[in-house]
Amino acid sequence: LVLSTIPVIMMAETFNMMEIVNCQAGGIQNWFIIRSFPFNLLGAIVFFTAAMAIIRMNPFSAPQAGPDVAGGQYYEYGGIRLGISYLARYTNLFILASTLSILYLGGWEPFLPSLSPVPGVVWIVIKSLVIIFIQLWIHRTLPGLRIDTITGESWRILFGLSCIGIVGTGIYSIF
């Protein structure tokens, strides 16, 4: 997850989220997912995939122990405890979706500069809800993977894509 944010930090030349969004002002053509096209798109895909793995959504929700196979949190918790567990999970989902929209999709900046009278909170909520919709769609569509497959593919594919994104953004920034 951290490696996928490095190309954005390289493009914005800052760690400050406000400055990252300000670098993307002026419409969709200035968003980091569009600028230095293939490399930041790779970073956004890696961030999206790693966010799903952190939240333990399918295909990354592999059971690891006997009670998890039998029922997991449904077996252990009931009533308000299960509700709080779900609240924490979906709050984390919204925070990661908001972070993705800030880093790659312009944050609270509108799609077009002519739509700037709409408040920024509305834009970030819309972008975050679209990301959440896509994550829940993937979560409900794909089956779960085994834990060895998850870790193996994470190291081989996601780590490699992150490194390609970092090197490509560095080369793009030089020229």
Side-chain angles (χ1 to χ4, degrees):
L1 189 69
V2 173
L3 284 177
S4 66
T5 62
I6 292 176
V8 171
I9 294 168
M10 290 169 61
M11 294 283 291
E13 298 177 356
T14 182
F15 286 102
N16 188 350
M17 292 272 201
M18 299 275 289
E19 292 298 320
I20 289 173
V21 173
N22 290 336
C23 288
Q24 300 178 70
I28 195 169
Q29 72 275 5
N30 292 331
W31 292 357
F32 285 149
I33 201 166
I34 304 293
R35 287 169 51 187
S36 77
F37 170 65
F39 306 115
N40 280 338
L41 180 64
L42 287 176
I45 291 170
V46 169
F47 189 94
F48 181 83
T49 307
M52 287 187 69
I54 286 174
I55 301 168
R56 295 182 47 95
M57 297 178 81
N58 276 346
F60 303 106
S61 62
Q64 297 177 1
D68 291 343
V69 175
Q73 63 186 6
Y74 308 110
Y75 182 74
E76 296 290 329
Y77 301 123
I80 193 71
R81 290 182 183 158
L82 182 64
I84 290 172
S85 171
Y86 272 115
L87 179 67
R89 183 177 184 177
Y90 287 111
T91 302
N92 196 7
L93 176 68
F94 186 77
I95 289 169
L96 288 170
S98 299
T99 305
L100 179 68
S101 69
I102 286 173
L103 292 176
Y104 292 100
L105 301 176
W108 50 84
E109 295 292 330
F111 296 102
L112 301 170
S114 62
L115 298 173
S116 60
V118 178
V121 175
V122 173
W123 287 113
I124 197 163
V125 168
I126 288 172
K127 293 173 188 177
S128 299
L129 289 178
V130 167
I131 293 168
I132 289 170
F133 174 76
I134 294 169
Q135 284 182 331
L136 290 176
W137 187 7
I138 292 171
H139 169 65
R140 296 295 179 194
T141 305
L142 296 178
L145 299 173
R146 293 188 334 244
I147 192 69
D148 62 328
T149 306
I150 293 170
T151 55
E153 299 303 320
S154 295
W155 278 107
R156 276 181 289 196
I157 295 174
L158 296 179
F159 182 73
L161 289 176
S162 294
C163 291
I164 289 170
I166 292 169
V167 170
T169 303
I171 293 171
Y172 178 82
S173 296
I174 291 172
F175 299 110

